[in-house]
Amino acid sequence: MVKSMTGYGRGERSFDDGVQVTVELRAVNNRYLDCAVKMPRAYIFAEDAMKARVQGGVARGKVDVFVTITRSGGDEVTVTVNETLAKGYIEALRQLRELGDGGVRKKYDVSDLARFPDVLTVEKQEEDLDAMKERLLSALDLAIADFNSMREKEGRRLTDDILGRADAIERLLGEVEERSPQTVSDYRTRLEAKMKEVLQNTQIDEARLLTEAAIFADKVAVDEETVRLHSHLSQLRELLAAGGAVGRKLDFLIQEFNRETNTIGSKCNDIEITRRVVDMKAEIEKIREQVQNLE
């Protein structure tokens, strides 16, 4: 299946401990794969694993991955008392109270003591990093699946459009092949008329006429170019049918389309063939634009 390079995907996983992981993917055209992961700094340890997972499912494009993590139950924390420090503060306060002559009469309660630095220590429960990485990757897998589904739909649309334009090129190419022999015949007729005009009653050298017509026919022959164009059209259809990451191959193939068409245009000396060549080049350019969107 041929895929578009552009797309969007979203994956969301909720877990029993109240953790919810949301991963979003967004991609635009790019010559190679360029993946950037935007996530909370606390989980940066999983960035390389997430990039590797994206690389396994995406061949080309500038892919941005956005990770959001929420906790409905809040973080589990442990509060501990620094008893040694607290006793030191209590002793210091007792000494202050004994300084009656200094006017210190206020009594301190437990809440006052808790406000002193480092009496209470709040510690977060250590998180299982491997388990969290698996959670992130599981949400990423859902996002990649959604992302690829959207890209496949767009890829089918692009493929249909390209194949339709390939059919139009083939039809125009057939008209060029049909018209090409007539070009030589028309040239011979014009040449014979011109020679009669110049030589008037003098006998025309039929051998010379045939030689000139043969030289002209060789000069304007486009058989090789049309055969190669038919071959390129067949290869185009085969690549699209095979699917996968064919965008770069098609890009190179379209360059060959242009080369053969330009050669036909430079060889032809006929207004009707020129018109067909212009129409073919217009279709080829539209195919080139569509190919730029394929993975």
Side-chain angles (χ1 to χ4, degrees), residues 159-177:
T159 298
D160 291 342
D161 184 70
I162 291 171
L163 289 175
R165 298 189 185 282
D167 291 340
I169 292 171
E170 196 156 48
R171 175 180 55 78
L172 291 166
L173 188 58
E175 293 176 5
V176 169
E177 291 172 317

Side-chain angles (χ1 to χ4, degrees), residues 98-118:
E98 291 177 355
L99 297 177
D101 294 340
V104 181
R105 300 293 182 185
K106 178 179 169 85
K107 283 190 175 184
Y108 289 88
D109 57 25
V110 174
S111 61
D112 293 322
L113 183 62
R115 294 190 182 97
F116 286 108
D118 302 325

Side-chain angles (χ1 to χ4, degrees), residues 212-271:
E212 290 292 337
I215 293 172
F216 178 79
D218 184 63
K219 181 180 177 182
V220 301
V222 292
D223 295 357
E224 294 181 6
E225 289 75 15
T226 58
V227 168
R228 283 195 290 267
L229 257 179
H230 279 299
S231 175
H232 296 334
L233 285 164
S234 296
Q235 190 176 359
L236 172 72
R237 295 186 177 103
E238 289 170 3
L239 286 171
L240 290 173
V246 297
R248 294 182 67 185
K249 289 182 180 179
L250 289 172
D251 196 25
F252 290 127
L253 185 60
I254 293 305
Q255 294 178 35
E256 296 302 315
F257 272 68
N258 274 316
R259 184 175 290 109
E260 303 301 343
T261 308
N262 287 335
T263 303
I264 293 173
S266 64
K267 282 186 172 184
C268 74
N269 192 26
D270 179 78
I271 188 63

Side-chain angles (χ1 to χ4, degrees), residues 3 6 12 30 58 61 70 82 111 127-128 132 152 157 164 171-172 181 211 219 236 255-256 266 276:
K3 302 185 186 73
T6 59
E12 187 174 282
N30 198 52
V58 183
T70 57
N82 188 332
S111 61
E127 192 167 33
D128 186 336
M132 192 60 200
E152 286 175 0
R157 188 189 69 78
R171 175 180 55 78
L172 291 166
T211 301
K219 181 180 177 182
L236 172 72
Q255 294 178 35
E256 296 302 315
S266 64
R276 303 309 189 277

Side-chain angles (χ1 to χ4, degrees), residues 63-269:
V63 183
D64 290 316
V65 182
F66 303 93
V67 181
T68 304
I69 300 170
T70 57
R71 299 176 184 274
S72 59
D75 295 328
E76 294 186 19
V77 297
T78 302
V79 181
T80 58
V81 178
N82 188 332
E83 294 185 10
T84 302
L85 183 61
K87 288 176 180 178
Y89 279 126
I90 291 171
E91 177 60 24
L93 292 172
R94 186 189 62 76
Q95 293 177 18
L96 287 173
R97 281 199 302 269
E98 291 177 355
L99 297 177
D101 294 340
V104 181
R105 300 293 182 185
K106 178 179 169 85
K107 283 190 175 184
Y108 289 88
D109 57 25
V110 174
S111 61
D112 293 322
L113 183 62
R115 294 190 182 97
F116 286 108
D118 302 325
V119 171
L120 298 179
T121 303
V122 180
E123 295 180 347
K124 268 187 172 184
Q125 185 175 351
E126 189 173 344
E127 192 167 33
D128 186 336
L129 299 185
D130 289 336
M132 192 60 200
K133 182 170 72 174
E134 290 305 315
R135 290 180 173 187
L136 291 170
L137 291 175
S138 66
L140 177 60
D141 287 339
L142 294 176
I144 291 175
D146 187 43
F147 174 66
N148 282 333
S149 176
M150 178 178 178
R151 294 198 304 145
E152 286 175 0
K153 291 177 182 177
E154 179 64 11
R156 284 193 293 270
R157 188 189 69 78
L158 292 173
T159 298
D160 291 342
D161 184 70
I162 291 171
L163 289 175
R165 298 189 185 282
D167 291 340
I169 292 171
E170 196 156 48
R171 175 180 55 78
L172 291 166
L173 188 58
E175 293 176 5
V176 169
E177 291 172 317
E178 183 179 349
R179 176 66 184 172
S180 186
Q182 184 63 36
T183 302
V184 178
S185 176
D186 291 348
Y187 173 77
R188 176 172 173 167
T189 301
R190 291 196 305 272
L191 180 60
E192 186 175 2
K194 189 68 175 178
M195 290 177 70
K196 285 180 178 179
E197 180 184 344
V198 172
L199 300 176
Q200 295 182 352
N201 295 327
T202 305
Q203 183 67 32
I204 296 175
D205 187 348
E206 186 68 24
R208 179 63 185 273
L209 187 62
L210 290 172
T211 301
E212 290 292 337
I215 293 172
F216 178 79
D218 184 63
K219 181 180 177 182
V220 301
V222 292
D223 295 357
E224 294 181 6
E225 289 75 15
T226 58
V227 168
R228 283 195 290 267
L229 257 179
H230 279 299
S231 175
H232 296 334
L233 285 164
S234 296
Q235 190 176 359
L236 172 72
R237 295 186 177 103
E238 289 170 3
L239 286 171
L240 290 173
V246 297
R248 294 182 67 185
K249 289 182 180 179
L250 289 172
D251 196 25
F252 290 127
L253 185 60
I254 293 305
Q255 294 178 35
E256 296 302 315
F257 272 68
N258 274 316
R259 184 175 290 109
E260 303 301 343
T261 308
N262 287 335
T263 303
I264 293 173
S266 64
K267 282 186 172 184
C268 74
N269 192 26

